[in-house]
Structure formats: C-alpha cells, structure tokens
Amino acid sequence: MPRDYYEVLGVSKDATKDDIKKAYRRLARENHPDVSEDPKEVAEEKFKEISEAYEVLQDESKRKLYDQHGHAGVNQQFRGGGFSWDDFTHFDDIRDIFGGSGGSIFDMFFGGSRRPKNAPAQGESLRYDVTITMTDVLNGRDEEIQVPKTSNCHDCNATGGRDGKVNVCEQCGGSGQVQMVRNSPFGRIASVTDCPKCGGSGKTFKERCPKCRGSGRVSKTNTVSVSIPKGAEDGMRLRLQGEGDAGFNGGPPGDLYVVIRVRDDKRYEREGINLWADIVTTYPRLVLGGSEDVVTIDGETAKVTIPPGTQVGAVLRLPGKGLPKFRGNSRGDMFLRVRIDVPTRVSEEERECLRKLDGNAGTKRSKGIFGKGK
Ligand SMILES: [Zn+2]
Ligand SMILES: [Zn+2]
C-alpha cells in the first residue's frame, strides 16, 4: 500500500494548491539524486513517490477522487491501473526546479527509465457524466450516450502515412531513440532521447495521410449503450472497458467511466433506499383519524391511514414504497412526516365553529402551566 499522499508531501488535508506546489518543490530539490545522501535507487524511489503524490494532489479532479476513494480512486485514472512516467503532466515543473530547459540532470534522471514513444501504450480513459431522475433509480435506465473520443485512423491503418505507406526511420533504424553525448557541469553525459527525425515513432513517411494529417488518430463521436442499474446512487461509476481513447502503437484502448448523477426530486428526499416526504392533513383528521392520498415514486396513489390522535410531526410508514436496493431485490420504505394544513381564510360559519372548538380545547388545557385559557 503506498503512503498517504498528504503525508508524503508533509502537508495537511486542506492545503492549498500553492502549499502543495511549495512543498513539492522543496522536497524535489532535497531528494534529487545529486544532492540526496541516500543510495541512488532509494533516492529515485523517494523522488518517484514525491512526484506521484504531487501529480495527484495538484490536479483538482484527481485530488477529489483521492480524498474520496484513496489510492484506488486515482490509480484507476491512470493507464493500466499503475503509474508510469508517461502519466506526468508537470514536466515543466521539474524543469523549473533543475533549471534550464531539459538540462543535463533532467536527462540523466529521466533518460534511462523513460518508455520509448513507439512502445505500445494504453489509450486514455475517459469520463462521462449521466444525470438521471429518482424514477430512473427505481426502474433503471438504458441510455445511449455520445462520447467524443480518439480512434485509430482507418484510412492509414493508424500509421499516419498516406494509404498506410511508411518507411523505417533511417536515423534511428526504427527504434525511435538515439543516444546523445553532452557536456554538463557534471562531466560528459550520454543520454537517450527521442530521434529528432521521426520524433520517436521509428517511422517516416513521404506523404501524410490526409484524413488524420499524419497523427494516425482521428476524433470521433461514438454511440455507447449504457445500462444504469436499479438503485444507482449519486457518484457511482460504471466502467466500460475499452471504450476510452484508442491505444498508441497497437496498445489497448482506455476505458470509459460513466459517472452517475442523480437529480434531486422536489417531491421526495432520498435517504439510501428510503424516501421521505410530507403528508398534509387537517386538524380534525388528526384528532378523529382518517386518511390522505399520497403519490408514491411508482406514480401510484396510495391511501394512507391516519390513526386517531396522530400528532403533528409524527412519521407514518409506507412499507416497500422506497427505492430498490442496488443489486438486490428488496425495496426501501416511504416515510411520511405529518404536517397540518392551516387555512388562511375561513368563512363566518367556520370561524364560529373554530372558536367553539378552541373554547373546549382551552378548558382542557386550563390544568396546564399557563393557567386557565380564554
Ligand atoms: Zn527516427
Ligand atoms: Zn490517417
């Protein structure tokens, strides 16, 4: 289990972006292999840990996922469930720390372990939010969603050359990488970099594919069928394997994560599988007993019995009229908070009637702490 990212950077859970950046820069400076007193492998491992923590915490969406789900939440965001150097988006920051633009230490540190550009790699995973209603939670919902994504170009078979015609790069012999020797303050350093001729792909072509302009990839909108299960909760994620961006160099495509958002319902409050609502009735019905009609989430009208002597604020229960359990057969209940409908306008006859009633009630109340009512 990796260490907690906040602990790695030595910042609190509510650290600002700036705090995180400062902590990262300080730690990166202290732990880079040239300065660190640790053996090279240990220093590299430490540096990797620091960078990984920073990578997640500096990105708002990744940080949120990490806060909610821990390491499992963010690892799924990265290729193949693991962490690789290619996931870093903040190379510029590292360059800032070591000075210069891609200086010698940078090359020394990253040159050897970097994956060649022409190696197969999984495509990016994508996220798509679907908003559903409370009724969809009850019934489940099949949805067709339009997902913009990157696909391999069919015209050139993802090679980037017109009609798929490509040549092996002469400069690197197809490996995509060349060795460069440089002078640096630390002496002559040999490093491996992307071949400048082919840009690391190992291939060149006389003519670009006109459809993808040589990239081998095209943007496309895909229609994907999603089956949202009954009982889905807000924030749940469905993983659709292989529906993300196309892979690189024959690598597998990424995944698609469908995030479910459940819209609030004006009529019901959700509490897990139970629903809450108000039931509005009259004073006489509370005293004498009676019934009120209530519309359930199924859209049906249910007659709810109000027992004699029911108090305002009492809770009545309609068993089995809540939401279905996720991946289960049972259903929750519907709870009804009793409220009273106080009329704002009354006729003269009603007024008389109410006065009489209040008079009687007052006599009863007279034994209370407020003394004799009017
Ligand atoms: Zn080349
Ligand atoms: Zn093409």
Side-chain angles (χ1 to χ4, degrees):
M1 188 71 193
R3 271 212 297 161
D4 178 66
Y5 288 149
Y6 291 97
E7 194 184 306
V8 169
L9 292 185
V11 294
S12 64
K13 291 248 189 250
D14 53 5
T16 64
K17 257 187 136 168
D18 219 41
D19 295 337
I20 288 164
K21 196 164 190 165
K22 271 186 201 147
Y24 167 66
R25 290 187 169 207
R26 183 177 51 75
L27 287 168
R29 232 182 278 120
E30 285 169 9
N31 286 284
H32 97 65
D34 197 51
V35 177
S36 173
E37 285 170 7
D38 295 324
K40 190 170 173 270
E41 296 77 47
V42 177
E44 274 190 17
E45 211 36 60
K46 248 190 201 171
F47 193 93
K48 201 174 156 181
E49 194 184 30
I50 294 161
S51 302
E52 186 179 315
Y54 178 63
E55 165 66 17
V56 170
L57 297 187
Q58 56 89 37
D59 182 305
E60 256 165 62
S61 58
K62 283 181 191 164
R63 184 176 176 181
K64 220 170 159 188
L65 279 172
Y66 178 71
D67 287 344
Q68 282 170 353
H69 308 287
H71 288 94
V74 284
N75 281 342
Q76 283 175 332
Q77 294 294 298
F78 301 125
R79 283 182 199 134
F83 211 90
S84 84
W85 289 110
D86 291 284
D87 291 312
F88 285 101
T89 54
H90 59 282
F91 272 164
D92 287 346
D93 286 338
I94 292 170
R95 281 166 207 246
D96 284 353
I97 293 161
F98 298 127
S101 53
S104 57
I105 296 173
F106 181 83
D107 282 351
M108 186 174 77
F109 195 78
F110 294 97
S113 62
R114 205 172 47 154
R115 187 169 61 198
K117 269 193 185 156
N118 59 356
Q122 192 179 12
E124 298 291 335
S125 286
L126 304 173
R127 172 190 166 145
Y128 192 100
D129 288 25
V130 174
T131 303
I132 61 170
T133 64
M134 213 66 98
T135 312
D136 297 331
V137 175
L138 176 72
N139 300 318
R141 179 161 147 186
D142 292 327
E143 176 96 0
E144 303 249 287
I145 57 173
Q146 307 288 321
V147 184
K149 61 174 229 173
T150 311
S151 300
N152 285 324
C153 174
H154 280 301
D155 287 17
C156 62
N157 201 16
T159 59
R162 186 186 268 270
D163 303 324
K165 276 181 199 144
V166 286
N167 304 315
V168 172
C169 173
E170 292 156 21
Q171 195 167 333
C172 63
S175 71
Q177 302 201 306
V178 287
Q179 216 186 51
M180 305 253 262
V181 179
R182 286 187 201 184
N183 291 316
S184 83
F186 308 97
R188 281 163 69 79
I189 289 173
S191 63
V192 178
T193 62
D194 288 331
C195 167
K197 183 155 190 200
C198 62
S201 68
K203 292 174 206 139
T204 56
F205 37 77
K206 275 205 190 81
E207 264 185 283
R208 283 181 187 183
C209 166
K211 179 136 188 230
C212 63
R213 290 193 217 93
S215 69
R217 297 155 74 80
V218 287
S219 300
K220 222 172 102 177
T221 300
N222 242 24
T223 305
V224 182
S225 302
V226 185
S227 188
I228 296 164
K230 287 180 188 183
E233 278 177 44
D234 189 64
M236 268 185 179
R237 301 195 305 174
L238 298 173
R239 177 166 170 254
L240 291 134
Q241 205 176 353
E243 295 290 352
D245 277 349
F248 299 89
N249 309 304
D255 299 330
L256 172 67
Y257 289 92
V258 175
V259 178
I260 296 165
R261 294 281 162 221
V262 182
R263 199 181 294 143
D264 284 341
D265 194 297
K266 280 192 196 102
R267 304 163 298 167
Y268 312 104
E269 256 172 72
R270 183 179 189 181
E271 189 192 65
I273 55 172
N274 297 325
L275 291 172
W276 283 77
D278 287 344
I279 184 167
V280 182
T281 187
T282 60
Y283 177 69
R285 280 180 214 182
L286 288 183
V287 179
L288 305 172
S291 70
E292 291 289 346
D293 286 345
V294 163
V295 179
T296 65
I297 187 80
D298 309 68
E300 291 161 3
T301 305
K303 208 171 257 315
V304 179
T305 306
I306 297 163
T310 297
Q311 300 291 321
V312 171
V315 176
L316 304 173
R317 189 170 75 108
L318 270 180
K321 293 294 174 193
L323 295 169
K325 204 168 172 178
F326 185 69
R327 297 213 170 111
N329 295 319
S330 60
R331 269 180 75 173
D333 302 331
M334 187 173 177
F335 290 96
L336 298 157
R337 262 175 310 240
V338 174
R339 274 183 45 205
I340 196 163
D341 180 26
V342 179
T344 49
R345 254 195 261 167
V346 284
S347 67
E348 202 45 54
E349 196 185 335
E350 283 164 337
R351 191 181 300 270
E352 208 40 55
C353 204
L354 286 165
R355 280 222 178 93
K356 243 190 202 163
L357 198 60
D358 189 42
N360 291 337
T363 329
K364 267 191 209 160
R365 265 208 319 264
S366 64
K367 287 169 192 145
I369 55 167
F370 298 109
K372 196 175 158 58
K374 197 187 160 241

